[in-house]
Amino acid sequence: QGLQKQDVTALAEHVQLLKTTYEEAFKQLSDAKECERKCIDYEQKLEEVAKKGAELEQISNEIIDLYNVLKGQNAKKVSFERFVQISYLEQITEAANHHLYKLSNGQYRLTCSERQEGHGRQSGLALDVYDSYTGQDRDVKTLSGGEKFNASLCLALGMADVIQSFQGNVRIDTMFIDEGFGTLDPASLHMVMNALDHLQSQGRKVVLISHIQEMHERIPVQIQVKPLGSGASTIKIVG
């Protein structure tokens, strides 16, 4: 009694609006929490991926560094292949010097050069020659024609010696020498022929290809080839 009935329609509509707003806000909160959960999960995964990526990058850098060293991008400009070749070259040079000492009357000795090559070229396989007359090393390119022939011959003999020492069942009994004798003076030619005669006396066969008359007189068994013209020739065995 004494109360006046109020119109609550507007209040009901306002309450409904608040409920709708609350539901939307609650949904946004749920979505935000789900997004937060996913972000935390992604963050952990990204950290794991970043850690794995750093490990792979470190391994990759080590592989790249190793690759560069192996292919010769290092201070000495020597690849792994050349490193192995240098080891053999040192042994071949040592064996060659036994022969070169006799052919040069003790004047020359081959040495492996440590100079760096320019223009990005690989180093490590260059040779110098020690001249006992001057007491200095110099590039083998400075040798005269006859001296180069002697050095090349001694390197070939040294290589044969080294190959046979590594492969016990391999024998190099035959050697072919094509020309080069024309660069030798009479005294050097005489020394070379004596060295080849010594090889032959040890059981090796030495085949010489030359047009030098002095050698024709020195070689007992010969295969003489004479051209007839038009691409034809005759072969005659002498001895």
Side-chain angles (χ1 to χ4, degrees):
Q1 293 180 354
L3 296 177
Q4 185 177 357
K5 187 176 181 179
Q6 298 291 325
D7 185 4
V8 295
T9 303
L11 292 175
E13 292 177 353
H14 184 64
V15 169
Q16 184 62 39
L17 178 62
L18 291 176
K19 289 176 64 177
T20 302
T21 303
Y22 168 78
E23 290 174 354
E24 291 177 354
F26 186 79
K27 184 177 182 302
Q28 290 178 1
L29 176 63
S30 299
D31 292 343
K33 288 183 177 180
E34 177 65 17
C35 182
E36 179 187 23
R37 186 189 64 79
K38 289 183 178 180
C39 287
I40 293 174
D41 184 51
Y42 289 148
E43 181 184 17
Q44 294 175 347
K45 290 182 179 179
L46 285 174
E47 289 177 353
E48 294 175 358
V49 171
K51 182 179 179 182
K52 186 65 176 178
E55 293 174 354
L56 292 175
E57 184 178 7
Q58 182 179 358
I59 295 174
S60 175
N61 291 335
E62 291 175 355
I63 293 174
I64 292 174
D65 290 342
L66 179 60
Y67 171 74
N68 289 335
V69 170
L70 293 179
K71 76 173 186 177
Q73 289 187 358
N74 48 65
K76 292 184 176 293
K77 294 184 178 180
V78 175
S79 65
F80 178 73
E81 180 182 359
R82 287 215 165 199
F83 177 78
V84 176
Q85 291 174 338
I86 290 170
S87 176
Y88 282 100
L89 180 61
E90 289 174 347
Q91 298 175 64
I92 291 171
T93 302
E94 182 179 355
N97 282 330
H98 292 293
H99 303 283
L100 185 59
Y101 183 85
K102 298 176 182 178
L103 290 183
S104 65
N105 286 323
Q107 180 179 0
Y108 295 128
R109 176 167 55 85
L110 296 173
T111 59
C112 294
S113 175
E114 296 182 356
R115 64 177 175 273
Q116 298 290 319
E117 299 291 344
H119 306 290
R121 291 180 297 178
Q122 289 284 302
S123 303
L125 295 180
L127 289 176
D128 287 337
V129 58
Y130 175 77
D131 191 338
S132 62
Y133 290 1
T134 62
Q136 295 180 342
D137 289 312
R138 53 191 174 97
D139 195 328
V140 290
K141 296 177 182 178
T142 62
L143 292 173
S144 66
E147 292 168 342
K148 286 182 181 178
F149 176 82
N150 286 343
S152 299
L153 174 61
C154 293
L155 282 171
L157 295 174
M159 181 179 295
D161 295 339
V162 170
I163 291 175
Q164 291 183 151
S165 66
F166 274 96
Q167 301 290 338
N169 58 340
V170 174
R171 286 190 56 81
I172 303 177
D173 294 326
T174 304
M175 172 175 289
F176 286 79
I177 303 177
D178 187 4
E179 294 298 347
F181 298 95
T183 60
L184 301 175
D185 56 60
S188 298
L189 179 61
H190 179 73
M191 293 178 62
V192 168
M193 291 303 297
N194 286 340
L196 297 177
D197 287 340
H198 178 67
L199 287 176
Q200 190 175 23
S201 66
Q202 292 179 330
R204 289 185 178 178
K205 297 180 179 65
V206 182
V207 182
L208 308 178
I209 303 173
S210 179
H211 299 85
I212 306 300
Q213 184 61 36
E214 292 82 349
M215 298 188 64
H216 295 178
E217 299 171 355
R218 183 80 177 262
I219 301 173
V221 180
Q222 303 175 17
I223 301 177
Q224 297 180 352
V225 181
K226 294 185 179 181
L228 299 177
S230 301
S233 59
T234 62
I235 296 178
K236 179 182 178 181
I237 299 178
V238 179

